[in-house]
Amino acid sequence: MSFPEAQVSQASYLFTSESVSEGHPDKVCDRISDTVVDLYLGADPGSRVACETLATTNKIVLAGEVRGPASVTHEVIEEAVRAAVKDIGYEQEGFHWETASLENVLHEQSVDIAVGVDATGNQDEGAGDQGIMFGYACTETDVLMPAPIYFSHEILRRMAVARKDGTAKGLGPDSKSQVTLQYENGKPVRCTSVVVSTQHDAGLSQDEVHELVLPFVRQVMPEGWVDEDTVYYINPTGRFVIGGPDGDCGLTGRKIIVDTYGGAAPHGGGAFSGKDPTKVDRSAAYAARWVAKNVVAAGLAEKCVLQVSYAIGVSHPLSIFVDTYGTNKVDEEKLSKVIGEMVDLSPRGIRERLALSNPIYAPSAAYGHFGREPDAAGHFTWERLDLVDELKSAF
């Protein structure tokens, strides 16, 4: 059995992925929700958080369920939320970190959910919800991510760095990108088009915006991938001064394909931001990426997708499925068995192996949860290659 690939099965084809910046309205909400998660986990690693955020013109609303220490007061939350919005860069008349009104209606977690999820007596910790989660890796980039989504993220990330350090004056926080690549025999070989729409100061002309943005595209794309036939669409609708939550209402969890693989792999449908690691929507998707990445890094396949499924309150996965799209160098059936024996994919096992109960989530809220660099502070532990040797020895 194999999943149908998102990329069509033909010798030559085009494939496109998009990204959105940290200042996009939905990403503002993801950042705020993950800020709340980090506050609670920093105060108590056993906290439970399911925080949803809405942002619109000079208004932020927090809702959802929490269980954690009383030290995380509404005042503490408000201070952290405003600091997050300030860090993104919103000091505009229609959305300002200091003057936007903030309504916090977070409330206690349901006892019915808690009784099924918590570990008690001989009962291990159960999954925080039912669902299916996917992880994916491929050899298209050094970080084992699909190339279109990786380059889409990188263009916007570099623009944000330059905006914040002052080297790209006039750019606003809200931006989007889209990269289309040509594939030959299943491998990306060149860039056919790039779309970048970015918020900008009212005094900038469209030519000036074009000149600001184009160097970031050329820095990111591999040598030889951009040529005279590559088409650029920079702010194709023209003026983009009003942006962010003032221009479009934002909500947590609306950019799940941007957050993952840009449409190059299946998605179970669950969002990540605002959820503590007992929610397998988040933790199991991280674990599935970790396993798939290690499989590809070990040279066992050129592509690997891993599916795991859970039931609320049940501590072990209901199923584990591996598909390498025919690129496997080892027996797939044995690979599935080895993964099931090698890795504890229970909610507790994932959380402990990847150290997910730490306050590490705000940096993941923009520019993708995958393909990032793990660091000494404990961010992006699911990107480590610490299974490679064990996987190699198993075969």
Side-chain angles (χ1 to χ4, degrees):
M1 175 182 174
S2 292
F3 289 113
E5 288 196 70
Q7 304 101 324
V8 292
S9 297
Q10 55 192 52
S12 177
Y13 56 88
L14 303 180
F15 192 79
T16 305
S17 295
E18 70 157 347
S19 179
V20 297
S21 73
E22 63 201 79
H24 184 280
D26 296 329
K27 282 287 141 201
V28 171
C29 294
D30 285 346
R31 171 70 177 274
I32 291 171
S33 291
D34 275 340
T35 296
V36 173
V37 172
D38 285 349
L39 276 177
Y40 274 98
L41 293 179
D44 177 4
S47 295
R48 302 289 187 261
V49 184
C51 176
E52 309 293 347
T53 302
L54 176 148
T56 187
T57 302
N58 263 336
K59 178 77 173 179
I60 300 168
V61 180
L62 307 182
E65 302 79 45
V66 296
R67 177 153 53 98
S71 60
V72 186
T73 62
H74 280 209
E75 291 75 21
V76 168
I77 292 172
E78 179 168 347
E79 182 180 357
V81 167
R82 292 191 185 280
V85 175
K86 182 180 182 181
D87 181 65
I88 292 169
Y90 276 110
E91 296 184 339
Q92 301 170 3
E93 183 179 351
F95 195 72
H96 196 294
W97 66 270
E98 193 171 26
T99 60
S101 68
L102 192 151
E103 183 178 356
N104 185 345
V105 289
L106 291 166
H107 61 84
E108 285 291 311
Q109 183 188 54
S110 160
V111 294
D112 291 342
I113 292 176
V115 75
V117 174
D118 291 347
T120 56
N122 293 325
Q123 175 190 321
D124 196 5
E125 175 185 299
D129 202 351
Q130 70 174 47
I132 55 174
M133 294 82 204
F134 291 92
Y136 180 69
C138 63
T139 56
E140 292 181 15
T141 58
D142 290 343
V143 295
L144 305 184
M145 284 288 288
I149 186 66
Y150 176 74
F151 295 133
S152 294
H153 285 322
E154 191 64 11
I155 290 167
L156 297 186
R157 190 192 66 79
R158 294 192 186 199
M159 285 172 56
V161 170
R163 170 176 60 84
K164 290 181 175 183
D165 68 19
T167 56
K169 297 183 184 300
L171 296 181
D174 190 1
S175 57
K176 302 176 74 171
S177 64
Q178 187 169 283
V179 171
T180 300
L181 300 182
Q182 181 178 339
Y183 283 71
E184 298 289 349
N185 299 316
K187 305 290 185 183
V189 295
R190 64 178 293 269
C191 177
T192 62
S193 66
V194 178
V195 183
V196 179
S197 296
T198 182
Q199 189 181 17
H200 59 86
D201 290 351
L204 287 182
S205 69
Q206 292 309 301
D207 286 343
E208 289 171 321
V209 173
H210 192 280
E211 291 304 310
L212 274 173
V213 169
L214 202 56
F216 296 105
V217 176
R218 290 174 172 160
Q219 290 167 19
V220 166
M221 301 309 299
E223 186 176 355
W225 283 29
V226 171
D227 55 33
E228 65 275 8
D229 294 323
T230 301
V231 181
Y232 303 99
Y233 301 94
I234 311 297
N235 280 18
T237 60
R239 178 183 168 94
F240 185 3
V241 174
I242 299 173
D246 186 31
D248 189 11
C249 181
L251 293 170
T252 301
R254 284 205 301 198
K255 288 292 178 284
I256 60 175
I257 302 303
V258 169
D259 284 344
T260 53
Y261 307 104
H267 195 295
F272 300 156
S273 292
K275 299 175 182 178
D276 73 76
T278 67
K279 280 72 171 175
V280 285
D281 274 349
R282 180 169 221 159
S283 56
Y286 289 174
R289 160 65 180 173
W290 170 56
V291 173
K293 183 179 183 182
N294 276 266
V295 167
V296 173
L300 306 185
E302 293 183 14
K303 296 181 184 180
C304 179
V305 66
L306 178 76
Q307 184 208 59
V308 289
S309 67
Y310 295 86
I312 188 168
V314 178
S315 63
H316 57 275
L318 305 185
S319 65
I320 301 172
F321 178 78
V322 178
D323 185 12
T324 61
Y325 301 116
T327 68
N328 51 304
K329 308 297 191 295
V330 297
D331 181 71
E332 271 190 353
E333 188 175 342
K334 181 181 178 182
L335 180 58
S336 297
K337 183 179 179 183
V338 166
I339 290 170
E341 294 172 348
M342 183 181 298
V343 183
D344 181 0
L345 290 173
S346 69
R348 181 192 295 275
I350 293 170
R351 189 185 71 247
E352 293 179 351
R353 180 65 183 262
L354 298 180
L356 297 183
S357 293
N358 295 319
I360 56 173
Y361 296 105
S364 71
Y367 313 117
H369 292 247
F370 308 129
R372 309 287 291 275
E373 190 68 30
D375 59 28
H379 301 111
F380 306 104
T381 56
W382 50 93
E383 292 294 314
R384 297 184 309 212
L385 297 175
D386 51 357
L387 288 175
V388 168
D389 291 341
E390 196 173 353
L391 283 165
K392 285 182 177 179
S393 65
F395 290 91

